[in-house]
Amino acid sequence: MCAVPYCCQWATPELAADLIAGRATLADDPNWAASGALEQAEYLEWANHVCGMACLRMILLHRDGSAPPLLALARRSLPYGAYVRQDDERIKGLIYAPFVRYVDEHFALQAAVQVDMTAAQLPALLAEWRYIIASVHPSIRQPLQTPPQRGGHLVLITAAPAGRLQFHNPSGDRPETQENVTMSPEAFGRFFAGRVITVK
């Protein structure tokens, strides 16, 4: 089967490093409409929240050869409660159980939430499931860092060559931290929150 395509959560992957470092803002992204946003304001509000939809889009592109744009996927998930608006209007999500219902009903993907996992268990899990969406700290793009906490961001694990974990990171800041990143389970575990969505 062909390699899993990469999808950045921002419309211009080459802008990722500048966005992360604060040298650019989402308003500087010239390709915002490619995200599926109906207007730029929608992109500005959502682009930092759609790492999970980027993982879903990569899965759909791999399986089907095509997929809706990111914000179209996000909008379709709202009736399921995959994202909710808090009292202060901030967006909360991705919420796993509603997401699982969404991908089952809309895309006939079998998915399950798994908790209390260790990174060492993930290679074996890939023998049962085709993809793993894993909760990690976003600083996984700088693997030598010690993260302040675990979780808060989602990456798509696609393979486990020689027991290592290979993944696509929707918020990687350069090609080598975006596509087909490989990391030992021990290193991955420093960022991993122990929660995954398995998909096939």
Side-chain angles (χ1 to χ4, degrees):
M1 198 173 195
C2 62
V4 178
Y6 175 73
C7 179
C8 182
Q9 70 184 79
W10 301 301
T12 306
E14 298 79 11
L15 200 59
D18 287 338
L19 289 170
I20 293 163
R23 295 187 296 266
T25 70
L26 292 172
D28 298 317
D29 193 333
N31 299 311
W32 63 267
S35 70
L38 301 177
E39 54 188 23
Q40 189 182 34
E42 185 183 27
Y43 178 69
L44 299 181
E45 182 177 33
W46 280 90
N48 289 332
H49 299 279
V50 290
C51 51
M53 292 299 145
C55 293
L56 172 59
R57 189 165 194 268
M58 290 186 265
I59 291 169
L60 294 173
L61 287 169
H62 189 225
R63 186 190 71 173
D64 303 336
S66 63
L70 285 180
L71 293 193
L73 290 171
R75 281 193 299 273
R76 292 179 191 180
S77 77
L78 295 179
Y80 291 84
Y83 297 92
V84 296
R85 230 175 249 292
Q86 297 177 305
D87 290 341
D88 61 4
E89 290 299 306
R90 285 187 301 173
I91 297 165
K92 180 182 179 183
L94 188 83
I95 302 172
Y96 293 4
F99 175 80
V100 166
R101 291 194 298 272
Y102 166 55
V103 301
D104 173 32
E105 293 188 17
H106 272 262
F107 303 109
L109 286 166
Q110 184 180 345
V113 179
Q114 320 250 11
V115 297
D116 300 323
M117 301 293 299
T118 67
Q121 294 173 302
L122 298 180
L125 201 59
L126 277 174
E128 304 172 45
W129 298 84
R130 179 61 189 89
Y131 315 94
I132 297 174
I133 300 173
S135 176
V136 299
H137 191 269
S139 65
I140 197 166
R141 68 176 77 92
Q142 297 172 305
L144 299 181
Q145 273 197 1
T146 299
Q149 61 191 40
R150 298 177 181 182
H153 177 58
L154 296 169
V155 299
L156 181 67
I157 303 174
T158 59
R164 293 172 67 82
L165 295 170
Q166 180 175 299
F167 60 93
H168 287 341
N169 181 359
S171 73
D173 58 356
R174 56 197 186 282
E176 58 268 31
T177 66
Q178 292 172 335
E179 299 186 51
N180 297 317
V181 183
T182 59
M183 192 175 285
S184 70
E186 293 77 15
F188 191 88
R190 293 192 295 109
F191 303 89
F192 179 48
R195 300 183 300 274
V196 303
I197 302 167
T198 47
V199 183
K200 62 182 172 183

